[in-house]
Amino acid sequence: MGKEEKPAGGKTYDATLCLPKTRFPMRAGLARQEPIRQKEWAEAHLYEQIRQARQGAPKFILHDGPPYADGYIHVGTALNKILKDMIVRYKTLRGFDAPYVPGWDTHGLPIEHQIEKTEGIAKESLGVVAFREHCRTYALRWVERQKEQFQQLGVLGDWEHPYLTLTPPFEAAQLRLFGTMLADGYIYKGRKPVFWCPSCKTAEAEAEIEYKEDPSLSIYVGFPVADGKGVLSAATVVVIWTTTPWTLPANQAVAAHPDLVYVLAETPAGNRWLVAESRLAQLSEVTGTPLQVKERFQGRQLEGILLQHPFYDRRVPLVLGEHVTAEQGTGLVHTAPGHGEDDYRVGIAYRLPIEAPIDEEGRFTAEAAPFAGQYYTDANQSVIALLQARGALLAQETITHSYPHCWRCKGPVLFRATEQWFASVEGFREKALNAIGEVIWRPAWGEVRMHNMVAERQDWCISRQRVWGVPIPVFYCNDCGAILAEKEIVDHIAALVETSGTEIWFTQPAEALLPPQTACPHCGGASFRKESDIMDVWFDSGSTHAGVLAQRPELGRPADLYLEGSDQYRGWFQSSLLTAVATTGKAPYRQVLTHGWVLDGEGHQMHKSLGNVVDPGEVIRKYGADILRLWVASSDYTADVRISDTLLTQVSEVYRKFRNTLRFALGNLYDFTPDLAVDPAQMRAVDRYALHTLAQLVEEVGEAYEAYAFDTAYRLLNQFSTSFLSAFYYDLLKDRLYCDEPGSLGRRAAQTVLYLTADALTRLLTPLIPHTMEEVWSYFPARQTPFAQLASWPQLPDPIVDAAQWKQLMQWRDEVLGALERERQKGWLGNSLQAKVCLTLPPQERRYALGEEELAELFIVSQVECRDGDVWELSVVPAQGRQCQRCRRVLDEVGSVAEEPDLCRRCVEAVAAYDASVAMGNDA
């Protein structure tokens, strides 16, 4: 049987075979087809149809963190939006009413910066009202552009009614939230150091700060003892170390740690220096001076000693601080309460002056003579020169360390004490920490990270010295200067803003904004001026739980899920938590899910200067949005993820397998409708096994989706499509599908499984690649809904299957396939249908066997013979009989029907059915 037999008389039977028929194209053409699909969704109001279909169902609220409306989206933004869409689509499939309301952050410095930079417009010359109008136009323009880009990703949502932080209803809600915090005593105005950007001329929040490695001058300075309080002699010099020489004009103290050991060390010249004992060797090395220890002190013994400022006629105390360490420097910290958070706390504790003699542009004021007018970093050399002249400079060097920079202008920032508005986190910290413990954090380390951040936070600077934003609704009495800040007044302004927007604050005088008959509670005055500062944009976005979740009828508070990048622990996650806890006592979310950064294929961060930035629009034009979405699904997004053409090509191959898997099913369902389905009890064992495996897949994919583990779902679906369907079940079905009589029980059973498989796969893949699954759905026989996205989670019969039996059968199959390959190597065997498999089965394994015909189908051979024996044995021999010229099986029965001497009995019946159908004029 080395060669296939030829039919007598050259007769062929191709026309009688039930070969696949489908118009579903093999090539996807995603870049061309996806916009058409998206247009169909929009014209059919698909989002509204889904909402209507899920009306009254349990809610699942994923609250969209607002992206900034100031530029084109990047691939990291695409990752975020696609993840959200996958979750919303999955929850919808599971029967939830899962609305998705997209939103935008539309206020703040970045937009002002772009107006000034790209349009060359200065608010000083244009005026605040006109400048704000430019900002509004700019923000709305980018909202529309980003909206279009997000829809190109296949993200489905209420795009006609997004939330914008610049709309009057939202601004009013934000003002009312501010008023509630004010009434509860959480809002106050004070003078303390905050991050200050001299380039942008505004205070900034920690979330707006980036840290970069910068070279800095490092100096060692001696503070002579003025009054040793009986502990130190007047000949002693206390040595400090600093990397910011420019802060020395604001020095008000030197801090020591109460528990550190300090030594009085003598130089060969007889000078006496005080330094932490653990830093003595380093000080000796950097100054090139041998030092001999004379005395030792506990840090707490030094408290109250007075020192002489190195160049001002000012005595400064030696104070104690827990923040002092001996990891660097000298263990004695130069303390300028106006230029540092720790220094400020020490300054408050010891009632030190809080001075920061630097103006908003970063230049020294007259109080810092002789450095007045100098830019603060330029003054470093001037300060060092003066220290040298006074003999106070002991050593200097240059080091590289992490220094804060402005996230927008990228320039260095400084700590500068100014009058600002603050939210006192300390006032509700315990409530916030308790709320953090009630939230589910994914990954779990997020809870520790958030807890530590909030536990260490004292105050939140919420004021900004800009104009494009929500005003801080407080007033100042023109007669006595008292602050007028009351919830009733804030609520009154919020009512005005809800109708007219925050423009009214900038166009109307104070008297027009205040309730009638308002008087200063301190002096009775009736003349007021408005606060000129606006709120931090993080206060804007942190108010969305009040301005969106609590306002939109289709939403609700708390949200089930917040999902953003891991940088938002100090950003939106935290600002939302703080404002929600302060006003409602609870977190605004039940779960928080984070993703990492997107890197290039080599693992490098993306920068325009490196030319490695990936534009999602380019990916869509080249590969299609579904490929980009499948890349997201394939990635472990909880860590940093990589993207490259190589990775996208690999994902494209998996996509092609999904498409071909479904195309095979559709091609073999051309004459099938659900009413022809076969009950599992009437199916062959392998069909029931396929249904059982499919049911397991549905369960496992559901568990993966429930855990937001899309990479696990992707892997499961890929393995099922390639290893189970293509390499196993589809392969053995072809004989039955193509050669059985069209209406036979065996073929209808196979079609039933194909139908259920294609239906389930389409639903399971819809969250990942919705464009393609809608295309598949459109070719589906007797589809239940007009769109796949209106369907529900697959509900499948799961026939009882003996797992041990199928484990054994699949092991046998592997053995048979190996044996067939060995026979091919011998040369006599080509197609496996030329073979007969002989199995010897001992009693303990005989119970696992199927009927010989079913085993032949399982092994894709023509014949199987099972024999009883004591030891399991396998052999492959040539099949006995003749080859059927239609199905290619080798059987003894071929030729038993005289009219069709080249066919087996099954094929004879199939051909007769075909001939009868043709005779009746039916399309076979």
Side-chain angles (χ1 to χ4, degrees), residues 624-641:
D626 274 1
I627 300 301
L628 186 61
R629 294 176 66 100
L630 209 55
W631 162 77
V632 172
S634 71
S635 304
D636 177 9
Y637 62 83
T638 58
D640 292 343
V641 299

Side-chain angles (χ1 to χ4, degrees), residues 64-71 73 77 80-81 84 100 102-107 143 146-147 150 159 163-165 541 564:
D64 189 32
Y68 215 80
D70 72 336
I73 70 169
T77 323
N80 177 266
K81 277 292 191 281
K84 291 174 179 175
Y100 177 64
W104 275 269
D105 206 348
T106 52
H107 284 141
V143 165
Q146 290 186 5
K147 184 189 297 185
F150 290 142
W159 297 108
Y163 77 85
L164 308 176
T165 59
S541 60
E564 301 299 330

Side-chain angles (χ1 to χ4, degrees), residues 889-901:
R889 293 185 301 169
V890 177
L891 301 168
D892 289 330
E893 67 187 51
V894 174
S896 60
V897 178
E899 292 80 5
E900 295 287 358

